[in-house]
Amino acid sequence: MKVAVVGAGAIGAYVGAALHRAGADVHLVARGPHLAAMRQHGVRVLSPRGDWTAQVPATDRPADIGPVDHVFLGLKANSYAACGPLVEPLLQDHTSVIAAQNGIPWWYFHRHGGPHDGQRVESVDPGGSVSAVLEQRRAIGCVVYAATELEGPGVVRHLEGTRFSIGEPDRSVSKRCLEFSEAMQAGGLKCPVEPDLRKDIWIKLLGNISFNPISALTRATMVQMCRHRTTRQVIELMMAETLAVAEALGCRPDISIERRIAGAERVGDHRTSTLQDLEKGKPLELDVLLAAVVELASIADVPVPTLRTVDAISDLLARGTAA
């Protein structure tokens, strides 16, 4: 099995190192000092489960890798439309694209069934620009429950969690999913093939849609947001509206709002990825987390006043970082 990890940052390099440890033919696509460090010293993983190093081939020229069986996409979703030059040299007819993204994916209604089957979500696939680069037939969904960060060039700090749930848009348990899952498990990670990955998408989105934009607006950590009474009330409203949208679209995530917030509170003084991006002056990945759900609410005719308010304010913040 040949795999290319495009966007081998904290999550991508961690996955690539694990697959390499399992014996897969893995290649990392990265750039800058991080690429130079991985070329010279390999990927160094620092983890509560034990530290280790994997000498994974790394490049900034995907054409040197050639066609692969699977592309693991570790890029932020807001860069998908521009990733054609990185992905196209890696594709052959059967190549899958496993997108490790938060929020609503560009393939959400692909082979969904029901009245919205095949509908495009403009917020995440504007004008079909993402589908033009990443064909929906190639998509395998991936919900990441692992937390990692780059401690330095070539050094991945694994904080917690090893689960990467994957699944087909049509809810089948496919051969290509099973192949990738087995390799991930051989490398020491959890990778269940979920018949309905959309449930996992909404469960994780419950946290991302509320904590991420509010953390960027307030600069607060997870525990600070959970323990501030009125902010917690806003988060509860956002989560309730999000669940209403999911249910209107035929998806019923098996989790309570209380349990979701309690889990976030246990994380402690952690800064969300959106807050970290804000602090680094990077574009904010809020379209797939928030704007997309507001769009889905319009499609499903579900009132989401709290989501619309936070979306309007955070969009102004996002436009400022993109200026």
Side-chain angles (χ1 to χ4, degrees):
M1 184 182 78
K2 187 175 181 181
V3 181
V5 177
V6 175
I11 284 291
Y14 180 59
V15 167
L19 289 171
H20 181 270
R21 187 163 63 169
D25 180 12
V26 185
H27 301 262
L28 307 179
V29 179
R31 61 185 181 181
H34 181 51
L35 170 61
M38 292 191 295
R39 279 175 162 169
Q40 185 171 0
H41 303 295
V43 178
R44 186 182 175 200
V45 178
L46 309 178
S47 171
R49 308 171 74 217
D51 301 344
W52 47 285
T53 300
Q55 299 292 334
V56 190
T59 182
D60 57 358
R61 292 173 51 86
D64 293 342
I65 300 172
V68 300
D69 300 305
H70 304 281
V71 172
F72 184 88
L73 206 57
L75 301 169
K76 292 281 190 179
N78 50 19
S79 62
Y80 284 3
C83 76
L86 295 176
V87 172
E88 287 167 7
L90 306 169
L91 301 179
Q92 52 189 325
D93 185 63
H94 72 272
T95 303
S96 74
V97 175
I98 302 163
Q101 73 160 94
N102 290 322
I104 300 298
W106 82 99
W107 54 262
Y108 188 84
F109 287 122
H110 176 60
R111 305 190 74 176
H112 178 275
H116 306 300
D117 188 72
Q119 185 164 345
R120 178 164 51 82
V121 183
E122 182 69 20
S123 301
V124 299
D125 189 13
S129 57
V130 176
S131 296
V133 173
L134 305 172
E135 294 177 82
Q136 292 186 353
R137 71 177 181 89
R138 299 187 184 276
I140 291 176
C142 179
V143 178
V144 178
Y145 294 95
T148 61
E149 61 185 23
L150 279 182
E151 190 156 294
V155 182
V156 176
R157 171 72 64 178
H158 170 230
L159 303 172
E160 63 175 357
T162 60
R163 181 179 164 196
F164 294 76
S165 296
I166 63 173
E168 292 282 359
D170 67 357
R171 304 175 180 84
S172 66
V173 179
S174 65
K175 180 180 178 181
R176 65 182 187 173
C177 277
L178 292 173
E179 176 185 60
F180 188 78
S181 171
E182 289 168 6
M184 291 279 278
Q185 292 179 68
L189 304 180
K190 296 177 182 177
C191 189
V193 180
E194 299 290 352
D196 192 355
L197 190 72
R198 290 178 181 85
K199 288 184 178 180
D200 285 67
I201 289 172
W202 285 103
I203 288 172
K204 187 169 186 188
L205 183 55
L206 271 186
N208 290 144
I209 199 172
S210 51
F211 292 114
N212 286 53
I214 290 178
S215 69
L217 291 165
T218 64
R219 312 301 199 271
T221 65
M222 298 290 279
V223 71
Q224 288 171 334
M225 289 182 282
C226 291
R227 293 180 181 175
H228 185 265
R229 182 179 60 83
T230 51
T231 300
R232 186 185 182 110
Q233 290 172 349
V234 172
I235 289 168
E236 290 171 349
L237 287 170
M238 295 178 74
M239 288 187 175
E241 291 175 6
T242 301
L243 285 175
V245 175
E247 291 178 5
L249 294 173
C251 189
R252 292 173 175 79
D254 184 22
I255 192 168
S256 70
I257 291 173
E258 293 77 12
R259 180 182 166 193
R260 190 67 180 85
I261 293 178
E265 188 172 356
R266 286 194 298 270
V267 173
D269 283 312
H270 172 72
R271 299 179 346 273
T272 70
S273 59
T274 302
L275 176 54
Q276 292 179 50
D277 285 343
L278 178 68
E279 292 172 340
K280 295 174 183 176
K282 294 182 177 180
L284 305 185
E285 192 184 30
L286 292 177
D287 285 344
V288 296
L289 300 182
L290 183 51
V293 178
V294 172
E295 181 180 344
L296 292 178
S298 296
I299 291 172
D301 196 24
V302 175
V304 288
T306 315
L307 293 180
R308 289 187 185 279
T309 299
V310 177
D311 179 45
I313 299 168
S314 59
D315 181 63
L316 179 59
L317 176 65
R319 289 175 185 273
T321 63

